[in-house]
Amino acid sequence: MTDSGLLFPEDDTAPQEDWDGIAAEAAVDENALYLELDGWEGPLDLLLDLARRQKVDLRSISILALVDQYLDYIDHAEALKLELAADYLVMAAWLAYLKSAMLLPKDEEEAPGPEELALRLQLRLQRLGAMRDAAARLMGGNRIGRDVFLRGAPEGLEIERKTRWRCDQFALIEAYGRVKARTAPAIHMVRERPVMTLESALDRVSNMLGVTLDWIELRDFLPPHAEPRLRKSALASSFVAALELARLGKAELQQDDTFGPLRLRRVTG
Amino acid sequence: MDDLARAVEAALFAAEEPMTAEALAGFLGDAAVGDVRQALRSVAQDYEPRGIHLVERSKRWHFETAPDLAHLLRREQEQIRRLSRAATEVLAIIAYHEPVSRAEIESIRGVQTSGGTLDVLMEAGWIRIAGRREVPGRPTIYATTPEFLEHFGLSSRRDLPGIAELRATGLLDPVDDAYDELMGEATGEDGADDTERSDDPEES
Amino acid sequence: MDDLARAVEAALFAAEEPMTAEALAGFLGDAAVGDVRQALRSVAQDYEPRGIHLVERSKRWHFETAPDLAHLLRREQEQIRRLSRAATEVLAIIAYHEPVSRAEIESIRGVQTSGGTLDVLMEAGWIRIAGRREVPGRPTIYATTPEFLEHFGLSSRRDLPGIAELRATGLLDPVDDAYDELMGEATGEDGADDTERSDDPEES
């Protein structure tokens, strides 16, 4: 079973206490009590109410009497054909078992003895009872909107946040420079370099090959006093020229080991 | 009446929400919190005989009407949300046991608590989720809020009706602990228990 | 303090609107209007030195905070924030090219400019709407304000260094930009939200 009817507006005629109508006092009319079943918050709640009817401190209630009252109650409700939620019946069965255990001679084997079960039930009832009372006292306090009232129309405290922006001249000028630099069209200038074209390398190499039949190292084809950059270019072009001459069948190439000197000579016939 | 007291009075009067001494000090420029506290106490004292009171609830201060004038000010059309019996009980259990899990609430009440009950209390702003219990299943645990204390007119949890007595008589301890205690099996376990529930109202 | 004065005080405190003496008398259950008036005057007198005053305005009474404390209750908090990089660029473009439309700013910057950036610059008081360009769509055009010149210590826009001077000082060196890019500073130049990134609250 679960809670129902959580919130409802307090009507003017109701007593100011939040709840006290549910069998707080001993019911005069017994049937009226049974008809209140909907008002119980579960079997433990019903037990607590029955226990309170014993008009003694919860610490000294008679569990046996309480069990009888509960079982009577359930019987009576069933006789009135009231629909009982399953947990009430489960509790009834458990209490019937507890009662028989309490009445029968002690069975030493049984693990939680009936006294223990009875004591635990009593402790639970005490705790629920304590919370029930606490809730009532809590609700009876000076509640805002019922007993004490807050200011009807507070002006409110206002904090206006204003932002002052900071920036300086340098940042401004720098930003413009940045924009200009970022968006200036990019022009790429390629500097003029001393190069030996493939054509001139081809001429040079074929001419030099024509002079002799011996193997000649590639490096010897390079212009002797060229500046390093031109030398590099000449080397690359001469290498390609050598490959081209080999392809045309005009020269043959020889290299003994990797990165070793590359030699070439004229092919005759 | 000194300037700070006047300023504190006016600020709290105009404020839409209760304020702590710290918030007031911050709001009023660079007033020392200690001075603000002193001003609060002196203003509260000024109002004691009056129709309006300055009260502290959960470290936050606000003005409200004197409780003895309730009958004059309560208007018919005013509707205060009335809590169901279940919600009332759950709220009390949370307040007296906090932080507490739903299973613990249910074991006290002996009945399942519908999620709706907790929702209603959360919506009212009286309870909040206070984390999870570090046990298997990591259940959510609940605690009350400053608004709860405000609404029910309590300065701190120490002011919960009868809480000291309930604590002293062990009625806030779980049944198992109480049983062990009675059976003399749990010798010297009080200490451990207390620390677990050490959410003693912090106020000093 | 007599009961009627306390009741009058509490009722006016809790009231949502100012009340006449007659309304108060009715509310408080047939108190004599004359007595209510007297109570009102005595309560008003009690409050004179305090931070709250009870005042009468066109026969209706209400509480309000003392006028001399108004400055405390409506505080302005000034926050100093540094202009974001994107906003600075937009401001610089406006300064160099004014009057200029948003589309023109974007084409100079090479990235989109969020409306928020222009708002920030307007809020700062450094730019203004200078009318509309008489071209299709009549776009709004922006120009700087005298406050702008003042804030940046310029006597006129002519004081801004020209392109040649920028180049001479190395400010047009693309290396800077490439470097910034490398350092991740130039990320997010999509102009998506300049204001958001400007929250460097390194002062305040």
Side-chain angles (χ1 to χ4, degrees), chain A residues 63-73 99:
Chain A
I63 291 290
L64 214 50
L66 182 62
V67 170
D68 284 336
Q69 286 168 328
Y70 186 91
L71 296 176
D72 276 356
Y73 180 94
K99 181 182 172 185

Side-chain angles (χ1 to χ4, degrees), chain B residues 42-135:
Chain B
S42 105
V43 172
Q45 204 167 3
D46 292 350
Y47 277 93
E48 248 162 46
R50 305 195 70 92
I52 309 170
H53 289 171
L54 177 59
V55 295
E56 183 186 9
R57 303 280 181 249
S58 187
K59 303 197 176 186
R60 310 200 298 178
W61 294 78
H62 72 261
F63 279 106
E64 62 182 32
T65 56
D68 65 300
L69 298 172
H71 63 287
L72 282 172
L73 303 175
R74 201 176 284 148
R75 266 157 280 180
E76 315 226 337
Q77 69 273 25
E78 241 157 11
Q79 291 194 341
I80 177 168
R81 293 214 298 183
R82 186 180 165 196
L83 286 178
S84 71
R85 178 172 159 159
T88 312
E89 248 175 53
V90 170
L91 180 61
I93 290 169
I94 293 172
Y96 284 79
H97 293 82
E98 76 178 42
V100 64
S101 71
R102 184 154 150 183
E104 288 156 359
I105 296 168
E106 289 177 354
S107 94
I108 293 171
R109 297 187 64 221
V111 63
Q112 281 196 351
T113 300
S114 74
T117 306
L118 291 167
D119 281 357
V120 162
L121 295 174
M122 293 231 246
E123 195 197 324
W126 293 336
I127 65 165
R128 65 189 167 87
I129 289 172
R132 290 180 181 279
R133 176 97 64 226
E134 289 305 334
V135 296

Side-chain angles (χ1 to χ4, degrees), chain A residues 8-21 135-149, chain B residues 70-84 88 151-152:
Chain A
F8 32 96
E10 185 158 300
D11 69 67
D12 299 326
T13 54
Q16 287 305 330
E17 282 70 32
D18 278 298
W19 47 268
D20 65 358
R137 288 172 72 182
L138 197 56
M139 295 300 134
N142 287 325
R143 288 176 63 183
I144 287 176
R146 188 188 69 180
D147 308 293
V148 295
F149 298 85
Chain B
H71 63 287
L72 282 172
L73 303 175
R74 201 176 284 148
R75 266 157 280 180
E76 315 226 337
Q77 69 273 25
E78 241 157 11
Q79 291 194 341
I80 177 168
R81 293 214 298 183
R82 186 180 165 196
L83 286 178
S84 71
T88 312
H151 183 91
F152 290 93

Side-chain angles (χ1 to χ4, degrees), chain C residues 52-97:
Chain C
I52 309 168
H53 290 171
L54 178 58
V55 294
E56 183 185 10
R57 301 249 187 279
S58 59
K59 303 207 169 188
R60 288 162 176 269
W61 294 78
H62 72 272
F63 278 110
E64 61 182 31
T65 53
D68 65 305
L69 297 174
H71 67 286
L72 279 177
L73 305 177
R74 193 170 302 247
R75 300 184 75 80
E76 268 188 14
Q77 271 189 359
E78 204 173 52
Q79 238 179 336
I80 297 175
R81 287 160 123 198
R82 196 167 65 165
L83 207 57
S84 71
R85 192 181 156 108
T88 309
E89 284 184 12
V90 171
L91 180 62
I93 291 165
I94 296 173
Y96 273 89
H97 296 266

Side-chain angles (χ1 to χ4, degrees), chain A residues 151 157, chain B residues 7-20 24 40 54 61-63, chain C residues 73:
Chain A
R151 182 134 185 254
L157 298 175
Chain B
V8 161
E9 182 181 45
L12 276 180
F13 195 77
E16 279 158 344
E17 298 279 334
M19 291 173 88
T20 61
L24 273 166
L40 282 164
L54 177 59
W61 294 78
H62 72 261
F63 279 106
Chain C
L73 305 177

Side-chain angles (χ1 to χ4, degrees), chain A:
Chain A
M1 96 167 264
T2 57
D3 312 319
S4 56
L6 296 167
L7 277 183
F8 32 96
E10 185 158 300
D11 69 67
D12 299 326
T13 54
Q16 287 305 330
E17 282 70 32
D18 278 298
W19 47 268
D20 65 358
I22 307 168
E25 300 303 318
V28 187
D29 177 1
E30 284 230 322
N31 282 344
L33 173 60
Y34 299 113
L35 291 168
E36 278 162 0
L37 201 60
D38 278 348
W40 307 115
E41 292 278 336
L44 200 63
D45 185 33
L46 170 54
L47 271 172
L48 176 61
D49 197 63
L50 293 170
R52 290 219 158 137
R53 281 162 210 271
Q54 291 188 7
K55 303 249 180 208
V56 290
D57 190 286
L58 282 179
R59 274 170 298 190
S60 43
I61 51 165
S62 155
I63 291 290
L64 214 50
L66 182 62
V67 170
D68 284 336
Q69 286 168 328
Y70 186 91
L71 296 176
D72 276 356
Y73 180 94
I74 297 298
D75 284 348
H76 206 117
E78 282 180 329
L80 287 173
K81 298 209 162 87
L82 294 180
E83 219 172 296
L84 284 173
D87 23 356
Y88 288 88
L89 301 175
V90 170
M91 176 64 91
W94 186 80
L95 290 173
Y97 161 78
L98 177 62
K99 181 182 172 185
S100 65
M102 287 171 88
L103 295 177
L104 289 172
K106 260 188 195 149
D107 183 352
E108 297 295 340
E109 303 297 306
E110 204 119 11
E115 291 82 6
E116 176 182 347
L117 295 176
L119 179 56
R120 281 179 184 275
L121 177 60
Q122 194 183 0
L123 291 171
R124 287 189 77 186
L125 289 174
Q126 277 179 33
R127 272 152 190 72
L128 181 59
M131 283 301 103
R132 168 99 15 114
D133 296 344
R137 288 172 72 182
L138 197 56
M139 295 300 134
N142 287 325
R143 288 176 63 183
I144 287 176
R146 188 188 69 180
D147 308 293
V148 295
F149 298 85
L150 301 179
R151 182 134 185 254
E155 292 88 349
L157 298 175
E158 231 175 279
I159 297 183
E160 255 177 59
R161 292 195 189 281
K162 260 184 79 175
T163 305
R164 200 154 58 100
W165 294 96
R166 192 177 64 99
C167 190
D168 58 33
Q169 210 186 77
F170 178 74
L172 183 77
I173 294 165
E174 188 194 37
Y176 192 68
R178 193 165 58 230
V179 169
K180 279 307 197 187
R182 190 171 62 221
T183 57
I187 299 167
H188 294 287
M189 306 271 278
V190 179
R191 282 204 192 92
E192 204 180 335
R193 288 196 181 130
V195 289
M196 179 184 281
T197 63
L198 182 59
E199 285 80 19
S200 63
L202 213 52
D203 286 349
R204 198 181 155 85
V205 172
S206 4
N207 289 342
M208 286 176 79
L209 275 182
V211 176
T212 175
L213 278 171
D214 294 335
W215 290 100
I216 308 171
E217 214 214 308
L218 184 64
R219 288 184 192 280
D220 294 335
F221 291 93
L222 307 184
H225 302 295
E227 56 152 318
R229 286 187 299 172
L230 179 59
R231 228 180 132 72
K232 243 183 195 171
S233 170
L235 180 62
S237 302
S238 301
F239 174 63
V240 176
L243 290 177
E244 178 65 11
L245 289 170
R247 190 181 69 86
L248 294 172
K250 292 183 179 171
E252 54 184 341
L253 298 173
Q254 189 187 59
Q255 189 175 32
D256 293 336
D257 42 20
T258 315
F259 299 122
L262 182 72
R263 288 174 299 178
L264 64 160
R265 73 174 176 185
R266 182 158 57 113
V267 174
T268 47

